[in-house]
Structure formats: structure tokens, C-alpha cells
Amino acid sequence: MLNSLELTGRADTHVSPLDELSCALHPEAAAAFGSLRSAARADGIDLTIVSAFRAFRRQEALWNGKFTAERPLYDRSGAEVSRADLADDAALVDAILIWSALPGASRHHWGTDFDVADLAAVPAGYRPQLVPQEYAVGGCFEKLDRWLTANMGKYGFFRPYRRDRGGVQPEAWHLSFAPVALPALESLSLEVLREAISGAQMWGREAVLARLPELYERYVRTVDGP
């Protein structure tokens, strides 16, 4: 069971480094991923992790970059959004949350969730963008998408953002290790998240706290299960 600091990415005592992939995962998720990767390799897929454990401060930096327009914002279709077109901080918060989690609420904090790509499907030097077009029919990761759909459940993985449920947009690249992630979601209470955000150095903090129960239900709790 993860404690409140681990749940919110303010500690990394629950993850271990995977030197080969230059990332860190919860040990149980890492072991299961090793089996998943071996099975994928047998089918001609070079499964790699693009992003895994992410600390609170890293998520906070990503959030602040989007809030201050240092990083681009995108709408639900993937088109770039101008910050000038957003009416207020509440609208800006909603725009960020389509594709990025609140600091303290990212599933990447748990070491159970990670983004994947197939290195065998891309030319040398290509950097996966983690966009829907890559995993759609005709995209470079179409084969990976089909393979994961057929096989990931055998190893305990699922896609928490499989469908558009009005919160986070579908992310075909995002896998979650159910045996640890499901209890983690139940442990990440509104009170735990509020405490983490209250101490954050994040832009828009007061706008987030004013709406936190709503945001918690829509962007944290509303996910697909295994």
C-alpha cells in the first residue's frame, strides 16, 4: 500500500530504477513489464517505455509551463489552443487537464503507469510524439495498439484512458498495472490530494483548490478499469 507521499509523487521510496530503459517503476509493475516486453519481442515488437515514474516537482513544472504559455495547449481534437482565447483561469485549468494531470494526481506518481512505443516500428532518430495518430489505423504504432489490446491484460495491464469519458482524453499509449494501481486510486482521496496541492508552488493553485472536488471526480476518478 502506497503512503500519501508516494501517492502524490512527493517520495520515490516505492519505485526502483530500470537502468536499461532510463526510468523507474514500482517493482511489481517492473516485473510484469519485463514479461510483457518479452512477449512483445517474440511478436516482432520492441516495446519501450517513453515515460514512467514522474515526481511531484516534475509534474508541477509541466503544469506551470502550460499555465504560463511556455508549453503549448491542445484541445480535445489535438489542435493547439491560444491562451488568449481562454476566458479566465478556470478555463485555462480545464484546457490543461485535457492532456495533463494535476500535480499530485498523476498516475505516473505511483510507478504503476507508463507510456509505451514500439522502437521496431519507427526509423532511426524518430522520437515518439504520443499522439492519437501514431496509434490509429495507418499510424506507426497501429500494430502495437492491436497487440496491446489482445495481450496486455494477460500481464495485469490495462488502459485507464481507453475512452473519452469527459475528462482526460483517450491515450492508447498509457498503460497501468492493475494490482497496484487500483488500490492506489482508492487511496488517493480528495483530502490527500488537497493537502499536496495546498503546499505546491503551482500557477492557478487557488483556482484549482476552489474546484477541487469537481476536478477530482472528473479527471482523477473517472477512468476506465481493466
Side-chain angles (χ1 to χ4, degrees):
M1 183 70 69
L2 305 186
N3 62 43
S4 62
L5 294 179
E6 294 167 339
L7 286 167
T8 53
R10 293 174 293 169
D12 62 3
T13 46
H14 57 302
V15 297
S16 301
L18 297 179
D19 293 336
E20 180 184 359
L21 295 172
S22 301
C23 67
L25 285 177
H26 188 284
E28 293 180 38
F33 175 74
S35 298
L36 182 72
R37 191 182 191 201
S38 295
R41 186 179 294 115
D43 287 334
I45 293 171
D46 186 2
L47 190 63
T48 191
I49 293 178
V50 179
S51 178
F53 170 73
R54 193 179 301 148
F56 183 94
R57 292 305 176 195
R58 176 57 180 160
Q59 192 69 29
E60 183 181 64
L62 293 172
W63 175 274
N64 287 344
K66 293 192 173 186
F67 203 96
T68 59
E70 293 176 5
R71 291 176 174 269
L73 291 172
Y74 299 97
D75 65 15
R76 291 189 174 274
S77 70
E80 190 164 346
V81 174
S82 170
R83 197 174 186 277
D85 293 336
L86 301 174
D88 51 25
D89 282 357
L92 178 55
V93 165
D94 285 329
I96 296 173
L97 287 172
I98 292 172
W99 296 106
S100 297
L102 287 166
S106 174
R107 297 176 67 98
H108 286 272
H109 293 331
W110 308 337
T112 60
D113 287 50
F114 48 87
D115 303 326
V116 294
D118 175 12
L119 293 182
V122 298
Y126 179 84
R127 181 178 180 181
Q129 302 300 303
L130 301 183
V131 293
Q133 294 86 342
E134 291 177 324
Y135 298 79
V137 174
C140 57
F141 301 137
E142 177 187 358
K143 177 181 177 181
L144 172 61
D145 178 62
R146 292 198 310 268
W147 189 90
L148 288 171
T149 298
N151 294 283
M152 61 184 173
K154 302 172 187 176
Y155 303 91
F157 294 102
F158 70 102
R159 288 173 168 137
Y161 307 124
R162 187 174 70 252
R163 298 173 293 162
D164 184 353
R165 302 184 57 170
V168 178
Q169 279 294 88
E171 296 184 351
W173 52 87
H174 186 128
L175 302 187
S176 185
F177 184 60
V180 181
L182 295 182
L185 180 59
E186 293 308 310
S187 297
L188 183 62
S189 66
L190 178 60
E191 291 71 25
V192 167
L193 181 58
R194 187 186 301 278
E195 188 270 331
I197 291 176
S198 295
Q201 298 175 352
M202 59 181 283
W203 286 86
R205 183 180 62 186
E206 297 311 314
V208 167
L209 289 173
R211 300 172 55 202
L212 193 58
E214 168 207 345
L215 300 179
Y216 172 75
E217 287 298 326
R218 182 176 180 184
Y219 294 103
V220 180
R221 298 289 305 177
T222 305
V223 295
D224 290 300

